[in-house]
């Protein structure tokens, strides 16, 4: 009976060709169940949890020293988990260097100055301002629908800015005075960003409203006429007293629904009207969301907690 291969002497991420040359593993063992492949010629032990950070270190084994880990990948390595374990590893490489294509690694060739990165695992990792820029430059300007692209990029930027305590003042220098492909969309996204947003769906909802001509403030605090704090709204239009809130799936428990209703009635008593947006709405009904908010601005006689959804016909929005 063949003794099972013990892979414990192997590092948690390694190049198969180098491990074979060093006599640590054979070609047949690389095809066995004791290791798993991350990229071409890059492996990890089967007992190691595959995280995005692990895959980034694996990609670094293949990349030239001038490559810069950036975007969602660099943010995740630095503790802001924007990338899932098996999302593509994002890198930029100076124009003069050829690298890729490699399945599982997304490479853009563009200008990167030495000041925009620092050493990391044999390659380089982008600094905060460059990460923020690349979170947006990663969105292909060729794809149709600028609102759709902003709905992807702005939530990432909001989360990163919030986690790293960044403001647009910190980032203006990085976003202006350059001519990268896609920079106009990136600047527009920066103007729409707001680190007060507490979740990606809230950021997406804000972009949908902006596309419909509605400006709403994230995490707006509402106080009673007596000055007492009542609630903090996902999004609030203070001028028209319209609250727009996202109810994710965790709001569907009886206890949470009762809590939400009680809280919202306190705010309604101060003259506010609510538009509640579900995950399904946000995925499929952009025009309905915008029309509901416009109607809530115009009408104050009904309680939106019990009113039927308005007719969607005739609504026009920017292409999403």
């Amino acid at each position: 009976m063949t003794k099972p291969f013990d892979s414990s002497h192997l590092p948690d991420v390694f190049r198969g060709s180098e491990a074979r040359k060093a006599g640590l593993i054979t070609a047949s063992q690389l095809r066995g169940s004791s290791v798993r492949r991350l990229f071409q010629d890059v492996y990890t032990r089967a007992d190691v949890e595959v995280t995005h950070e692990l895959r980034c270190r694996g990609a670094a084994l293949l990349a030239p020293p001038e490559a810069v880990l950036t975007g969602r990948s660099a943010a995740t390595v630095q503790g802001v988990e924007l990338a899932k374990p098996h999302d593509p590893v994002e890198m930029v490489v100076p124009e003069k260097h050829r690298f890729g294509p490699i399945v599982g690694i997304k490479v853009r060739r563009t200008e990167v100055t030495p000041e925009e990165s620092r050493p990391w695992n044999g390659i380089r990792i982008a600094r905060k301002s460059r990460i923020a820029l690349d979170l947006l430059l990663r969105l292909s300007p060729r794809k149709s629908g600028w609102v759709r692209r902003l709905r992807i990029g702005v939530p990432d930027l909001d989360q990163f800015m919030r986690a790293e305590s960044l403001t647009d003042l910190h980032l203006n220098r990085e976003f202006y005075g350059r001519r990268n492909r896609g920079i106009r969309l990136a600047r527009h996204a920066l103007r729409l960003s707001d680190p007060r947003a507490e979740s990606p769906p809230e950021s997406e909802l804000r972009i949908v409203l902006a596309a419909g001509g509605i400006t709403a403030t994230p995490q707006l605090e509402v106080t009673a006429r007596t000055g007492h704090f009542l609630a903090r709204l996902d999004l609030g239009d203070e001028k028209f007293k319209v609250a727009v809130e996202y109810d994710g799936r965790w709001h569907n428990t009886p206890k949470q629904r009762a809590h939400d209703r009680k809280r919202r009635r306190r705010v309604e008593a101060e003259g506010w009207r609510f538009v509640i947006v579900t995950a399904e709405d946000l995925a499929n009904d952009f025009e309905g969301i915008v029309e509901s908010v416009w109607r809530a601005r115009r009408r104050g006689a009904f309680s939106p907690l019990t009113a039927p959804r308005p007719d969607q016909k005739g609504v026009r929005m920017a292409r999403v």
Side-chain angles (χ1 to χ4, degrees):
M1 183 175 180
T2 304
K3 184 178 180 181
F5 173 64
D6 181 8
S7 63
S8 61
H9 61 288
L10 294 169
D12 59 352
V13 62
F14 61 95
R15 291 195 67 165
S17 58
E18 294 179 358
R20 285 179 60 192
K21 189 180 298 184
L24 300 176
I25 197 169
T26 66
S28 63
Q29 288 165 346
L30 279 173
R31 295 190 295 269
S33 59
S34 296
V35 298
R36 67 183 72 171
R37 194 174 83 158
L38 301 178
F39 308 103
Q40 183 178 356
D41 195 37
V42 177
Y43 297 82
T44 184
R45 301 194 312 270
D47 64 313
V48 174
E49 179 186 4
V50 177
T51 64
H52 194 73
E53 188 270 345
L54 179 80
R55 295 183 71 248
C56 289
R57 288 194 284 117
L61 296 176
L62 297 173
E66 298 81 7
V68 179
L69 189 74
T70 191
R72 283 179 163 180
S73 293
T76 300
V77 166
Q78 296 189 178
V80 187
E81 295 188 3
L82 300 181
K84 297 176 182 177
H86 293 280
D87 283 349
V89 173
E90 298 177 18
M91 292 182 173
V92 292
V93 179
E95 291 280 2
K96 62 181 179 180
H97 292 278
R98 305 294 297 179
F99 174 55
I102 296 175
V103 175
I105 304 177
K106 183 177 181 180
V107 180
R108 288 189 302 110
R109 279 185 288 276
T110 187
E111 177 187 354
V112 188
T113 66
E115 296 77 18
E116 292 177 320
S117 65
R118 59 178 174 81
W120 182 82
N121 280 272
I123 58 170
R124 302 185 69 81
I125 189 169
R127 297 190 187 275
K128 293 178 183 180
S129 57
R130 179 71 201 209
I131 292 173
L133 175 67
D134 285 325
L135 285 172
L136 303 171
L137 291 182
R138 64 187 288 273
L139 306 175
S140 172
R142 291 183 181 178
K143 293 181 180 178
S144 62
W146 62 269
V147 178
R148 187 177 300 277
R149 283 176 278 149
L150 290 174
R151 286 180 61 230
I152 297 170
V154 172
D156 282 347
L157 186 59
D158 284 352
Q159 287 188 76
F160 187 69
M161 291 174 68
R162 181 182 180 88
E164 298 290 353
S165 301
L166 296 173
T167 68
D168 54 358
L169 294 177
H170 293 113
L171 300 177
N172 277 336
R173 182 179 176 183
E174 191 72 45
F175 279 68
Y176 289 86
R178 61 168 67 238
R179 302 165 73 177
N180 299 70
R181 183 171 176 268
I183 192 62
R184 291 180 63 187
L185 181 69
R187 290 171 186 157
H188 187 42
L190 179 62
R191 290 192 292 270
L192 290 173
S193 65
D194 196 317
R196 290 175 292 182
E198 291 192 343
S199 72
E202 290 178 24
S203 297
E204 285 189 56
L205 182 53
R206 193 180 74 250
I207 298 306
V208 169
L209 295 178
I214 298 167
T215 301
T217 303
Q219 300 303 312
L220 181 67
E221 291 189 354
V222 178
T223 57
R225 284 180 285 268
T226 59
H228 292 94
F229 172 80
L230 288 179
R232 190 171 60 175
L233 308 173
D234 291 348
L235 292 162
D237 183 340
E238 199 163 15
K239 179 179 179 180
F240 293 94
K241 285 195 169 184
V242 175
V244 187
E245 297 210 305
Y246 174 79
D247 277 8
R249 292 176 178 82
W250 69 276
H251 282 266
N252 290 334
T253 66
K255 183 178 180 180
Q256 186 61 44
R257 285 198 298 269
H259 172 79
D260 289 341
R261 183 173 292 273
K262 184 177 180 180
R263 167 182 165 273
R264 287 165 181 164
R265 290 205 182 281
R266 289 199 304 267
V267 177
E268 280 191 308
E270 296 295 322
W272 285 76
R273 298 174 296 284
F274 277 87
V275 173
I276 311 304
V277 178
T278 66
E280 183 178 358
D281 293 333
L282 192 54
N284 304 305
D285 195 10
F286 310 134
E287 294 178 350
I289 292 169
V290 172
E291 178 63 12
S292 295
V293 176
W294 277 111
R295 290 193 181 194
R297 279 178 157 199
R298 294 192 295 264
R299 297 180 182 179
F302 64 81
S303 166
L305 291 177
T306 56
R309 284 185 68 85
D311 183 11
Q312 309 296 324
K313 294 181 180 179
V315 180
R316 292 292 182 267
M317 252 186 88
R319 184 173 51 167
V320 296

